[in-house]
Amino acid sequence: VQLQASGGGLVQAGDSLRLSCTASGRTIRGYRMGWFRQSPGKERAFVATISRDGAGTYYSDSVKGRFTISRDNAKSTVYLQMNSLKPEDTAVYYCGATSNIVGTQATQYYYWGQGTQVTVSS
């Protein structure tokens, strides 16, 4: 599975962004999908994950209530709607795909997109 993330940019605190991650070569239907983020000098951190059918979602405490993960299996695309952005949300955001039942650890993911930069100014 090849993943392509897009939608990042430079925004001000309080603004919204929607990230997209589109798969090619294979449908994402059989995979749990997740979003992670990484700041310079830090490890890749879990943001959100969604089950194969989209019925189950789970978020990190830092984004719960502000971010929403969703997916469209017909389009092989997963989304991350980010609202009320804060400067501490600044990072490169990566989407990943895994066959595991759970997916809150980066090591559980088999495939990764190239990342998209999100910068939130205060």
Side-chain angles (χ1 to χ4, degrees):
V1 178
Q2 293 181 328
L3 302 174
Q4 179 77 33
S6 62
L10 172 62
V11 297
Q12 294 185 334
D15 285 349
S16 298
L17 275 177
R18 189 176 81 156
L19 305 184
S20 299
C21 174
T22 301
S24 61
R26 198 166 183 178
T27 178
I28 63 170
R29 193 177 302 273
Y31 296 94
R32 167 176 289 277
M33 302 297 294
W35 285 98
F36 287 72
R37 63 189 182 186
Q38 190 168 18
S39 302
K42 295 186 178 181
E43 294 186 352
R44 194 166 294 189
F46 169 72
V47 174
T49 186
I50 188 166
S51 60
R52 297 172 187 179
D53 62 359
T57 58
Y58 187 73
Y59 300 90
S60 69
D61 288 343
S62 62
V63 307
K64 196 175 301 181
R66 300 188 297 122
F67 291 11
T68 303
I69 188 172
S70 61
R71 66 190 295 161
D72 185 336
N73 285 341
K75 295 182 178 179
S76 283
T77 300
V78 62
Y79 304 98
L80 185 68
Q81 178 66 44
M82 306 186 295
N83 298 330
S84 301
L85 282 161
K86 303 176 181 180
E88 51 263 45
D89 295 319
T90 295
V92 177
Y93 283 71
Y94 296 90
C95 60
T98 179
S99 297
N100 286 333
I101 296 175
V102 296
T104 60
Q105 303 295 323
T107 53
Q108 295 169 322
Y109 285 76
Y110 305 151
Y111 305 103
W112 291 99
Q114 86 291 357
T116 185
Q117 176 72 47
V118 173
T119 303
V120 185
S121 63
S122 58

